[in-house]
Amino acid sequence: MYMIFASLAPVFLIILAGFLIERLSYLPASTGDILSFFSLNICIPCLLFHIMCGTTMEQFSQVNWWGGMIGVQVGCFFLFYWIERRLRHSESGPATISALSASFCNAGFVGISVIISLFPGNAEAMSAAGLTVITSNIIVIIGQMLMLGWSRQRRMPQGRHMHFAIPLRLRIWRFVRRFLLGNPILMATALGLACAFLEIPVWKPLDQACAMLGYVSPTCMLFTLGFSLRKNLAEAFRGHSINVKHQVMLMSWRLLGMPLLLLLVLVLLNCPPLWISVSVIMMATGSAIMVSALSQVYQAVPGQAALTVAVTNILSFFSLLAAIWLLTITGLMPASAASL
């Protein structure tokens, strides 16, 4: 257990460093937003492009793994969306934020960093981690579409309706432009996979530059998470009402329910042990920072989202410990991996 603890400690020490530097006001308050934009739009896409260029068709074409990953995440998203809408009678926007809080893991900011720490130099583990980030982007796209529709509905004058239909071709183009072409992570992944599958040689200096930028992202993202932690906690209690039971339900599912369900599904689907281990570990992270950002942009339960993101990312140290321990004792993850 100590070796597992030691393998995770550097990840959370970087988060702590970001938190302390923000508390000391050593850097401008805008640093967190700038680093977050830099990580999401430059560093992570470079890292995923570098990783995907080394992904084989055999690794990519694991139908069982894709079905399990997408099925669990999308299924849980819509389950919680239904619970919020039908049982708690929430509007579509707040229901979407709650569903994302429960199902959208922090794969990009924490998950990849943990996998790099646990599986240094393991190209297949990195491919699994990169593709896991892509599966989590699917529910982000669904969530963004629902939030956009809810926002437009709120801006419509009451009693008025659209008297014209947007052509299907235009709607498809808007979707592609906003959610696919406008998503650097998806585009970098697609470009890297295209180079790998079509055997297009990537200029070595370019690949090295992408790798250098990409491997900055784990440290940068973890520091950003710590730097923004107090801001999220402050937002949570800034005049917002917090339903404690509701928060406990969302957090418990995010940190315990989702990893255990995914583990069960992937084992039943007979997926490779390494891919199960990487996927479950990444699923044991807290709620993604983007959940809090979306809630603030659309003004949909920002306090609830900020609290969920802050607390689950703090507690994820323990959920990650538990996930790695469970994977080790079940033989799915080599005991030596956590000791590297």
Side-chain angles (χ1 to χ4, degrees), residues 152 162-172 174:
R152 287 175 176 171
M162 297 290 285
H163 294 289
F164 61 90
I166 300 175
L168 178 61
R169 183 176 59 184
L170 181 57
R171 280 184 287 170
I172 293 174
R174 286 182 176 179

Side-chain angles (χ1 to χ4, degrees), residues 105-108 111-112 115 128-129 132-133 277-285:
C105 64
N106 206 349
I112 286 182
I115 298 305
T132 298
V133 173
S277 297
V278 170
S279 305
V280 171
I281 289 169
M282 296 185 76
M283 194 60 65
T285 57

Side-chain angles (χ1 to χ4, degrees), residues 170-335:
L170 181 57
R171 280 184 287 170
I172 293 174
W173 166 242
R174 286 182 176 179
F175 172 82
V176 171
R177 184 183 62 186
R178 178 185 292 269
F179 298 111
L180 300 182
L181 297 179
N183 189 323
I185 291 176
L186 287 179
M187 293 305 298
T189 301
L191 185 59
L193 289 172
C195 291
F197 298 159
L198 298 176
E199 298 183 356
I200 301 173
V202 179
W203 189 37
K204 191 172 182 179
L206 174 62
D207 185 50
Q208 289 178 336
C210 287
M212 290 171 69
L213 265 175
Y215 282 108
V216 168
S217 61
T219 303
C220 188
M221 290 182 295
L222 294 173
F223 181 87
T224 303
L225 178 59
F227 195 88
S228 305
L229 198 57
R230 191 171 72 93
K231 177 183 176 182
N232 282 327
L233 287 172
E235 175 63 34
F237 297 102
R238 190 177 295 142
H240 302 294
S241 59
I242 302 295
N243 186 318
V244 176
K245 290 183 179 179
H246 183 238
Q247 286 292 100
V248 171
M249 178 188 70
L250 293 178
M251 294 178 188
S252 299
W253 182 257
R254 170 81 297 284
L255 295 175
L256 299 175
M258 280 283 283
L260 289 174
L261 176 62
L262 182 65
L263 173 61
L264 176 63
V265 170
L266 294 184
V267 168
L268 291 176
L269 291 174
N270 197 30
C271 295
L274 178 63
W275 287 69
I276 294 176
S277 297
V278 170
S279 305
V280 171
I281 289 169
M282 296 185 76
M283 194 60 65
T285 57
S287 299
I289 293 179
M290 190 179 293
V291 177
S292 181
L294 283 173
S295 70
Q296 292 181 34
V297 168
Y298 292 101
Q299 283 304 295
V301 289
Q304 170 195 297
L307 184 62
T308 305
V309 167
V311 174
T312 54
N313 277 283
I314 293 172
L315 296 180
S316 65
F317 180 79
F318 302 101
S319 63
L320 285 165
L321 277 175
I324 297 170
W325 174 79
L326 180 60
L327 290 165
T328 302
I329 65 169
T330 54
L332 292 169
M333 177 177 170

Side-chain angles (χ1 to χ4, degrees), residues 72-85:
V72 167
Q73 292 180 87
V74 173
C76 289
F77 173 86
F78 281 111
L79 172 63
F80 273 85
Y81 183 80
W82 180 85
I83 290 173
E84 294 292 317
R85 293 283 282 157

Side-chain angles (χ1 to χ4, degrees), residues 93 145-156 297-298:
M145 291 173 63
L146 289 172
M147 292 301 293
L148 186 61
W150 177 68
S151 177
R152 287 175 176 171
Q153 187 178 28
R154 291 175 69 196
R155 293 199 303 266
M156 287 282 292
V297 168
Y298 292 101

